[in-house]
Amino acid sequence: ILFAGVLLAPVLIANSYGGGTLPMSRFDEQLSSMRSEYSVYSQQTLDSAGKSGSQDKASRPKHLSPAKAFAMSLVVPGLGQFYNGSKVKAAGFFALDVAAWALNFKYRADGRDATATFEKFQQDNWKRTRYEDQYLLWVYGKNDDDSITATEVSHHLPDQPTQQYYEMTGKYDQFAWGWVDATYQGKPIDSFSATSPMDSINVNHPAPTSNLRFQYETMRHEANKKFDAADRWVMVALANHLISAFDALLTAKRKNNQGGAGEFGRVKIKADLRTIYAYRDTPYLRCSYAF
């Protein structure tokens, strides 16, 4: 009995501690602590990696589409630069486009006004009857220039007052006698007739003098200059569209490759005035791009 009591004593003692669970040994305690630390460390590592990845993704510059930047600036100069983040260049290209179209509209409107003025001047001071019923009929016996085969009568006056009609009456000597102040050797056309003296107004002599004709041609020239200026500003606007588009495309590519902002100094634009018809009358734009 004593021997059985000795064998059962440890079991009874163990049951008296925590309902049958043996106390943890020193080794078990260390092992449990290591497992807990490893689990916490692993979780922190995962959290840290995830956080770092999101931060890198947020700080990384967005990818730009060169084709989109090109198309945007081709339609509206400066829009592609704004898309690329270059606000200064965007404002410059857009301002130049607005100015070019505004000047085009201004010069074209001025040209239309000048055209209306010289057409009214021609209507008041050039008479078809003087040209056909006096000059042509007296010299050639016909009042229709289309039926005359003479070398000096090389143009046919349109029946209606078209643009060509207004150009021809001032440009060619053939129509000079139609101006109401035309004179030859100081004599107006009314001094001549079909019978006396015919050779005074034929091709063997210079065209009659007319101050009104000279004034008319000056007016026409000034009107044409305004239309030419309008056309030049259209060319400036179109060039601005192309330059802006290619600048936006190249800047987008460079930013994608470098991950940085573009430089405004790569595009150089120099505006100036040059002398064509009058002193410094023609706007001139020179653009260069540094690759």
Side-chain angles (χ1 to χ4, degrees), residues 100 103-109 224-235:
L103 288 169
N104 167 65
F105 294 145
K106 175 188 180 299
Y107 280 113
R108 201 163 296 281
N224 289 335
K225 284 175 57 178
K226 295 183 185 300
F227 284 119
D228 290 342
D231 291 339
R232 285 193 292 271
W233 280 111
V234 170
M235 298 304 297

Side-chain angles (χ1 to χ4, degrees), residues 148-177:
I148 298 174
T149 58
T151 304
E152 65 275 13
V153 184
S154 56
H155 297 86
H156 173 63
L157 189 67
D159 296 332
Q160 301 298 324
T162 61
Q163 184 274 335
Q164 187 181 21
Y165 169 90
Y166 287 109
E167 177 183 358
M168 293 170 65
T169 54
K171 184 175 182 180
Y172 300 107
D173 291 344
Q174 173 185 335
F175 306 100
W177 276 112

Side-chain angles (χ1 to χ4, degrees), residues 116-180:
T117 300
F118 78 65
E119 287 180 353
K120 180 64 167 58
F121 183 87
Q122 191 268 4
Q123 294 165 12
D124 293 339
N125 297 286
W126 191 88
K127 304 302 178 183
R128 189 169 192 143
T129 56
R130 292 170 62 87
Y131 165 67
E132 293 180 339
D133 298 334
Q134 292 181 271
Y135 169 60
L136 292 183
L137 185 61
W138 293 352
V139 176
Y140 303 100
K142 300 176 183 179
N143 63 355
D144 183 6
D145 52 20
D146 198 30
S147 61
I148 298 174
T149 58
T151 304
E152 65 275 13
V153 184
S154 56
H155 297 86
H156 173 63
L157 189 67
D159 296 332
Q160 301 298 324
T162 61
Q163 184 274 335
Q164 187 181 21
Y165 169 90
Y166 287 109
E167 177 183 358
M168 293 170 65
T169 54
K171 184 175 182 180
Y172 300 107
D173 291 344
Q174 173 185 335
F175 306 100
W177 276 112
W179 293 99
V180 296

Side-chain angles (χ1 to χ4, degrees), residues 209-227:
T209 302
S210 171
N211 291 329
L212 291 175
R213 178 191 178 190
F214 177 78
Q215 183 179 350
Y216 175 71
E217 281 298 278
T218 301
M219 295 168 68
R220 284 188 62 249
H221 179 67
E222 291 299 321
N224 289 335
K225 284 175 57 178
K226 295 183 185 300
F227 284 119

Side-chain angles (χ1 to χ4, degrees), residues 71-109:
M72 293 172 72
S73 277
L74 188 63
V75 176
V76 180
L79 197 58
Q81 282 72 22
F82 187 82
Y83 166 74
N84 290 337
S86 303
K87 296 181 179 179
V88 175
K89 284 199 292 184
F93 280 116
F94 183 74
L96 179 58
D97 190 59
V98 171
W101 286 113
L103 288 169
N104 167 65
F105 294 145
K106 175 188 180 299
Y107 280 113
R108 201 163 296 281

